Amino acid sequence: MAGSPFQIVQTLSSQEDLGRFAKVRPEFFEDYSEDLIRQHCQIHGIGSDFQGRLGPEHVSVIGDELREHLLVGGLNSRQRAVVELLIGFLREQGIDEDAARIYGHEGITHLARALRGRFLRFLGSEYGPSVEQREWLWPIPQADVCALEFPSSSFDAIVSCDVLEHVPDLDAALSEAARVLRPGGRLLATFPFHWYHDTTMIFATVEDGQIRHHLPPIYHGNPMDQDGGALVFQIPGWDVIERARAAGFSSASMTFICDQNKGIVASSRLEPMRPKGVFVTAFDR
């Protein structure tokens, strides 16, 4: 679905789909598009279905990777992409926001606070395996997304922002997400996505209870371990779509979103033909 030259929500199911999209809409792969969107936000602010109208005083750019570093109202581009698509999904489904049962793979972040303030029935959790972490978290739920304790068909939607690359068993996490979603529910997730690879890149696995590193370890920020961070186990490629279907989702695709007015954009000038938007899963139960 195309709108203005710098506003698009596109469904993609394969690397070949992405290649065809690049030929038809090359502007979404050019460096000038990210510059235009950044400058537009800094001058005009954004108009968001989730955050409303926020002026340029709410915009900050804290680094070069706009997926992470273009902040508006404290949320970065990938987080805002997810919540915009969440609002759209609920509206398409005719679900009242106060009735929507939404589960989040985070419970103490700025995004979790924003979701908790918007949705009456939002529930967010963190992973805190130690006794000390559980005591510190209370009453925020502690949950292992690979082995959830929620009943089946509990939620209308699941929000997961850059969490799934850190789970040791991605297939189990996808299966649990499918299980706790009600039929027709949707998993909206971001993760570092190898859009140029058909297969998932494995960085580490757990074997006989021990972590085995297959590539030099990478750690991302972790609100539960700010000193050590969260180990990256894998970075999914396009095979994540088939893995989602095998895990119990009735349909699965990636949604590519880039929006000048909402300030949703990504950048990486070190990679040729880098899509200048955010990839979000649309995995439907």
Side-chain angles (χ1 to χ4, degrees):
M1 179 181 69
S4 68
F6 294 102
Q7 182 181 51
I8 196 165
V9 178
Q10 181 73 36
T11 299
L12 301 166
S13 296
S14 66
Q15 192 173 358
E16 291 72 26
D17 276 357
L18 181 63
R20 288 188 286 268
F21 172 60
K23 291 180 181 180
V24 175
R25 303 302 299 272
E27 66 270 25
F28 289 105
F29 297 78
E30 299 292 343
D31 289 343
Y32 71 81
S33 62
E34 66 185 74
D35 292 331
L36 184 150
I37 293 174
R38 173 181 52 77
Q39 292 169 9
H40 185 274
C41 291
Q42 291 174 314
I43 295 171
H44 302 288
I46 68 164
S48 162
D49 291 333
F50 181 80
Q51 293 175 294
R53 169 63 62 180
L54 294 177
E57 68 274 13
H58 297 281
V59 176
S60 59
V61 180
I62 61 173
D64 295 331
E65 174 47 84
L66 299 184
R67 178 181 183 271
E68 302 295 319
H69 298 146
L70 176 57
L71 305 182
V72 184
L75 301 181
N76 62 29
S77 190
R78 61 176 168 79
Q79 293 167 330
R80 289 182 286 106
V82 167
V83 294
E84 291 299 298
L85 292 174
L86 174 62
I87 293 290
F89 170 71
L90 296 177
R91 290 176 178 173
E92 290 170 6
Q93 295 273 308
I95 302 172
D96 183 86
E97 290 187 8
D98 284 346
R101 290 176 169 84
I102 301 167
Y103 172 52
H105 285 173
E106 54 195 285
I108 60 174
T109 63
H110 190 85
L111 175 61
R113 291 183 182 187
L115 290 166
R116 193 175 295 117
R118 176 71 176 253
F119 299 106
L120 179 66
R121 301 176 190 275
F122 171 78
L123 175 66
S125 69
E126 293 285 348
Y127 181 59
S130 72
V131 173
E132 293 79 8
Q133 288 173 322
R134 289 171 186 253
E135 290 177 348
W136 183 86
L137 273 174
W138 175 257
I140 300 294
Q142 191 281 149
D144 178 354
V145 301
C146 296
L148 295 171
E149 297 180 357
F150 305 124
S152 298
S153 302
S154 295
F155 299 101
D156 298 298
I158 296 175
V159 171
S160 179
C161 288
D162 279 29
V163 171
L164 293 178
E165 70 270 26
H166 300 295
V167 301
D169 189 338
L170 177 60
D171 294 321
L174 291 173
S175 293
E176 281 295 271
R179 182 184 66 80
V180 302
L181 281 169
R182 51 93 175 157
R186 178 169 292 180
L187 170 63
L188 293 165
T190 63
F191 37 74
F193 179 52
H194 274 170
W195 50 270
Y196 47 86
H197 281 194
D198 284 330
T199 57
T200 293
M201 180 175 289
I202 304 299
F203 283 79
T205 54
V206 175
E207 300 176 13
D208 298 324
Q210 301 295 318
I211 294 175
R212 178 186 175 193
H213 296 282
H214 303 275
L215 292 170
I218 298 174
Y219 294 86
H220 295 165
N222 180 1
M224 292 300 299
D225 186 359
Q226 297 186 10
D227 295 327
L231 177 66
V232 172
F233 282 90
Q234 65 268 312
I235 295 182
W238 286 100
D239 62 336
V240 72
I241 291 175
E242 287 306 316
R243 293 173 75 168
R245 291 175 179 147
F249 288 94
S250 62
S251 66
S253 62
M254 301 299 292
T255 298
F256 174 82
I257 176 171
C258 181
D259 196 308
Q260 171 181 311
N261 293 326
K262 295 179 179 179
I264 296 172
V265 66
S267 62
S268 181
R269 299 185 185 228
L270 298 179
E271 298 173 354
M273 291 302 290
R274 168 71 157 108
K276 301 303 180 180
V278 176
F279 289 96
V280 182
T281 67
F283 295 170
D284 291 341
R285 176 69 173 88

